Amino acid sequence: MARRVSGRSHGDLRTADTRAKVKDNYRPSRDEILRYIAENPDRSGKRDIAKAFALRGEDRIWLKDILRDLQDEGLLTKERKRLARVGALAHVAVLDIFGRDADGVLLAHPTEAVGNGEPPVIAIRVSRGGGPTPGIGDRVLAKTFPTDEVTGPAYTGRVMKIFEKRTEAVLGVFRVLQDGTFRIEPVERRQPELVVDKEFQNGAKNGDLVEVEPARASRYGLPRAKVLAVLG
């Protein structure tokens, strides 16, 4: 366990502008460290944390012990020399853009599962400086940042790269069959019907016009697809 030193008080989280005003005997609490890591995923290395709390000398050894304890307790995980809250989205993640909100903001899910619950929603921030401009159906590499929104997206994302599409999106009508399975009737009649598994329904309902991404063709049966967006 990390060493405890009496006489050390816990104060508020500090910034670079206030570090010099704080007494040398300051040590942050575990909750303050966890909050800092959650709010600063791009500055969550051990040195970054020590700098944020103005920890020097013996205090840095104390911080190392605390961080090891938090990892041993399953509260933190280490990724590429950065620490992150367990169950939190990685600071740099691959995202699939699936739609827009009522204000036209692009929304995405992480490609890989995060924890055991519903996948978090990421609001994509489009760069004004001429950076990559993604669209619905794109797979992107993005930096993610947690938000304070209670009901809105849990993260915002800044796109770093748009991956080349493996297949072209297909437009079709979403159908629910009598046995409860899902089919896509392509708008382009030359294309075959597609099967959609429940986990790739993406909120589509019977009769919706949808944009889907076909998967690799199977040797048996109809090809499969996942719904990228509900268009109407």
Side-chain angles (χ1 to χ4, degrees):
M1 294 294 292
R3 294 175 289 112
R4 296 181 181 272
V5 179
S6 61
R8 305 283 184 169
S9 61
H10 301 309
D12 294 332
L13 186 65
R14 294 166 296 158
T15 64
D17 295 333
T18 61
R19 286 198 305 267
K21 301 178 183 179
V22 182
K23 295 181 180 180
D24 291 338
N25 65 352
Y26 175 89
R27 282 182 178 175
S29 68
R30 289 159 53 102
D31 287 342
E32 287 171 331
I33 293 172
L34 290 171
R35 187 170 74 250
Y36 171 84
I37 291 171
E39 294 176 352
N40 300 274
D42 55 337
R43 298 190 301 276
S44 59
K46 185 168 58 179
R47 290 184 179 180
D48 296 317
I49 299 169
K51 184 177 180 181
F53 291 103
L55 301 178
R56 302 179 181 87
E58 186 177 305
D59 287 341
R60 292 201 174 206
I61 299 174
W62 170 86
L63 175 64
K64 181 179 179 181
D65 290 342
I66 284 289
L67 295 176
R68 186 184 298 116
D69 286 348
L70 292 172
Q71 290 180 73
D72 291 343
E73 293 170 19
L75 297 175
L76 288 179
T77 183
K78 196 169 187 178
E79 301 173 356
R80 300 179 183 178
K81 296 185 178 181
R82 286 195 176 107
L83 293 157
R85 293 294 301 268
V86 171
L89 185 61
H91 178 49
V92 176
V94 178
L95 309 175
D96 288 326
I97 299 176
F98 65 85
R100 296 180 184 271
D101 65 11
D103 297 321
V105 176
L106 290 169
L107 302 175
H109 284 314
T111 302
E112 297 183 0
V114 178
N116 298 321
E118 291 292 323
V121 176
I122 302 95
I124 300 299
R125 299 187 303 194
V126 178
S127 174
R128 297 180 180 178
T133 303
I136 294 174
D138 282 339
R139 176 166 290 182
V140 301
L141 182 69
K143 286 187 176 182
T144 64
F145 305 88
T147 69
D148 296 327
E149 297 289 337
V150 177
T151 58
Y155 296 85
T156 60
R158 186 171 68 244
V159 175
M160 303 165 61
K161 176 183 178 181
I162 301 175
F163 293 108
E164 184 178 352
K165 292 184 179 180
R166 292 176 296 176
T167 57
E168 292 185 357
V170 172
L171 294 180
V173 178
F174 188 88
R175 297 297 186 193
V176 180
L177 304 187
Q178 289 184 349
D179 61 1
T181 59
F182 306 137
R183 293 284 191 279
I184 300 296
E185 294 179 359
V187 173
E188 179 58 58
R189 295 300 181 184
R190 292 177 297 177
Q191 295 172 332
E193 282 193 349
L194 302 166
V195 176
V196 176
D197 294 322
K198 187 174 180 61
E199 61 264 35
F200 298 123
Q201 181 183 359
N202 198 15
K205 299 178 182 178
N206 190 48
D208 283 345
L209 178 64
V210 295
E211 187 178 30
V212 301
E213 179 185 39
R216 292 182 179 179
S218 172
R219 293 180 61 185
Y220 306 101
L222 295 173
R224 300 185 116 70
K226 69 176 181 179
V227 176
L228 298 175
V230 177
L231 304 178

